[in-house]
Amino acid sequence: MPAATRGIVLQCTDFSDSSVVAKIYTEISGMQSYLIPGVRSKKSKIKANLFQSLTLVEMVVHHKNSRGLQRISEIRPSPAFNSIPYDIYRSSLAIFINEILLKTIREEESNSELFEFLHHSILYLDLAGKTPANFHMSFIFKLTKYLGCPPAEPIEKDIGCFD
């Protein structure tokens, strides 16, 4: 049965001459792998540029629990990026964040709080007027809360730094 969901593209791997397997963190199913046949052919409805790292997408998917690779019937960017692909600093941050997410997120179940945090963080990175300083460190620090291992609060409240 088809289901509409939002997703964050994390990895794309060649499967054959014209097909790819994309690892996408979805709002309703967590981390999933999708087979997209014919994406590199000239007549394909789905274009290969949608599967770049940290692309935010809306898609209609077909999930079967008995399969490891799921199917996508429709996909579109939501929203299209304004600055990440064109600013070398932001695209470098996006690549770094993408690698962190690939190494840390393993769950194949819905986690709406984590998805919303990731979605808003990527949008902020794209839409912020000035390139955010230390965005990557702030992102990782906040991500630890959703991964279940946040740093402990300092015992002395007067200390103004993280130890």
Side-chain angles (χ1 to χ4, degrees):
M1 183 169 141
T5 185
R6 295 184 299 167
I8 301 168
V9 178
L10 296 178
Q11 187 178 32
C12 186
T13 307
D14 293 340
F15 185 72
S16 67
D17 290 339
S18 62
S19 301
V20 296
V21 173
K23 193 178 261 193
I24 302 175
Y25 187 71
T26 64
E27 187 174 22
I28 61 170
S29 302
M31 187 71 74
Q32 295 291 322
S33 294
Y34 295 95
L35 176 64
I36 302 99
V39 74
R40 293 199 175 154
S41 67
K42 293 180 182 178
K43 297 179 182 180
S44 176
K45 293 182 205 175
I46 300 173
K47 300 300 178 192
N49 65 347
L50 288 175
F51 301 102
Q52 294 179 5
S53 298
L54 290 188
T55 301
L56 303 174
V57 293
E58 286 183 6
M59 49 191 184
V60 176
V61 296
H62 299 275
H63 281 273
K64 289 188 179 175
N65 292 333
S66 60
R67 276 197 308 222
L69 289 176
Q70 309 300 332
R71 298 279 179 168
I72 295 177
S73 59
E74 295 177 31
I75 187 168
R76 64 180 178 275
S78 174
F81 285 143
N82 293 329
S83 61
I84 289 177
Y86 311 110
D87 181 357
I88 189 69
Y89 185 72
R90 289 176 202 246
S91 59
S92 299
L93 286 173
I95 291 169
F96 175 74
I97 289 169
N98 186 57
E99 289 297 320
I100 294 293
L101 294 176
L102 278 172
K103 300 291 183 190
T104 56
I105 298 176
R106 300 283 182 220
E107 56 196 27
E108 292 184 8
E109 64 227 14
S110 175
N111 186 343
S112 60
E113 289 180 9
L114 175 59
F115 182 84
E116 287 299 322
F117 166 71
L118 297 176
H119 194 269
H120 287 9
S121 297
I122 295 166
L123 279 178
Y124 177 76
L125 178 62
D126 185 53
L127 299 175
K130 183 180 170 188
T131 306
N134 298 325
F135 176 81
H136 56 296
M137 290 188 287
S138 172
F139 175 82
I140 292 172
F141 185 77
K142 292 174 184 174
L143 179 64
T144 60
K145 172 186 165 194
Y146 298 99
L147 297 178
C149 55
E153 293 286 326
I155 296 172
E156 299 175 26
K157 298 292 183 185
D158 297 334
I159 298 174
C161 65
F162 175 69
D163 185 3

